[in-house]
Amino acid sequence: MATTSSFLQLQFPSSSVGPGGAVSGQALSVSVGPVVLFSVLDHHLRKPENHNRVIGALLGVRSEDGSEVEVRNCFPLSHTESNDHTVAVDPEYLNQMYSLHQRVNSKEVIVGWYATGTEIEEPLVYVHEFFANETVPHQPILLMVDTSLSNDKSAARAFVSTQIGVPGTEHPGSMFLQVPCDVKYFDAERSGLDVIAMAKDTPDKSATLLSDMDNLERSILQVHDMLESVGNYVERVLSKKEQANNAIGRFLMDTVSSIPRIDVNEFEKTFNTHLQDLLMVVYLANLTRTQLAIAERLHKMV
């Protein structure tokens, strides 16, 4: 627990803050798309040297009951911080950017804002109050992105706030509660993230798209590594070298039971047939590409 004279910051594993800032029995969860994290990191890399942080608006959708928030997009905002710990945000620029975004995707609305850093400092409280007017009647989401890699990774945490009052004081404080936050991506985004992750193993930190055969080989190796890891875990549990985890056991049982039992010879035959079909598609694609290239050269000669 960290306290100051003006606000209180708490971190809970789950939150029961409902829409409008009221504490209820309904849990709130936040999912963030990878495009949002990359946009925040890009904004951080382009920030002026005299700025300690960057802030921006979060766009997304809410469930009908407001208990689930999916952050799909964002855009940066310019701000100024004074010596008296106040932050000034240009509301006209915010409205213009939001209006332009609504022309592209009218379903996405402002659900909160983001900031870079590891702690919620006093100036951020005023920014949160500013965005509370933009998300009425719902609570705005504060997404804190750690760009310093303090834990050897870029962590993203989501917060909501509610006012707390102390008897005998004129101005109430704010209490920030951490809510569950995870990264949600589609299959196409996962493929792009895998390609980007491959760049860390190259000397020039670059990566190229793989061919169909290379992708197939890479997928097979990944499945083999996962099966080997699971097999080693089961052997350690059976040999009493590691304590069994009931959750992992139930997950493995559900996974194994969902796979139909197939004879080894039948599985090998099916796999070889699928592989031959894939090779035929690759061959026909290369043949078509070659014929188009020859036809284009003949057309230029004529």
Side-chain angles (χ1 to χ4, degrees), residues 160-177:
V160 294
S161 72
T162 183
Q163 291 185 349
I164 57 175
V166 179
T169 59
E170 297 180 356
H171 304 285
S174 296
M175 180 175 63
F176 282 84
L177 304 176

Side-chain angles (χ1 to χ4, degrees), residues 17-19 24 26-28 62-69 138:
V17 177
S24 64
Q26 189 177 25
L28 175 68
R62 296 179 183 268
S63 60
E64 294 182 358
D65 56 359
S67 61
E68 298 180 3
V69 179
H138 300 284

Side-chain angles (χ1 to χ4, degrees), residues 230-249:
V230 172
N232 294 335
Y233 169 77
V234 174
E235 290 180 359
R236 291 194 303 270
V237 172
L238 294 177
S239 60
K240 306 298 182 180
K241 295 181 180 179
E242 185 173 344
Q243 186 177 1
N245 189 314
N246 296 332
I248 297 178

Side-chain angles (χ1 to χ4, degrees), residues 139-150:
Q139 269 278 7
I141 302 296
L142 167 58
L143 184 68
M144 294 291 297
V145 181
D146 181 13
T147 57
S148 61
L149 303 179
S150 56

Side-chain angles (χ1 to χ4, degrees), residues 2 12 57 67 102 123 158 163 185 191 224 226 235 241 261 293:
F12 293 160
S67 61
Q102 284 283 292
Q163 291 185 349
Y185 44 79
S191 301
H224 180 270
M226 288 187 289
E235 290 180 359
K241 295 181 180 179
R261 297 187 62 181

Side-chain angles (χ1 to χ4, degrees), residues 40-86:
V40 175
L41 294 177
D42 178 69
H43 187 195
H44 173 75
L45 293 175
R46 295 184 290 103
K47 72 178 181 67
E49 296 181 357
N50 58 341
H51 283 194
N52 297 326
R53 64 176 65 88
V54 295
I55 64 175
L58 297 177
L59 301 169
V61 295
R62 296 179 183 268
S63 60
E64 294 182 358
D65 56 359
S67 61
E68 298 180 3
V69 179
E70 182 180 351
V71 182
R72 298 179 177 178
N73 212 328
C74 67
F75 57 84
L77 294 174
S78 60
H79 71 285
T80 57
E81 297 186 21
S82 59
N83 295 330
D84 56 350
H85 302 290
T86 58

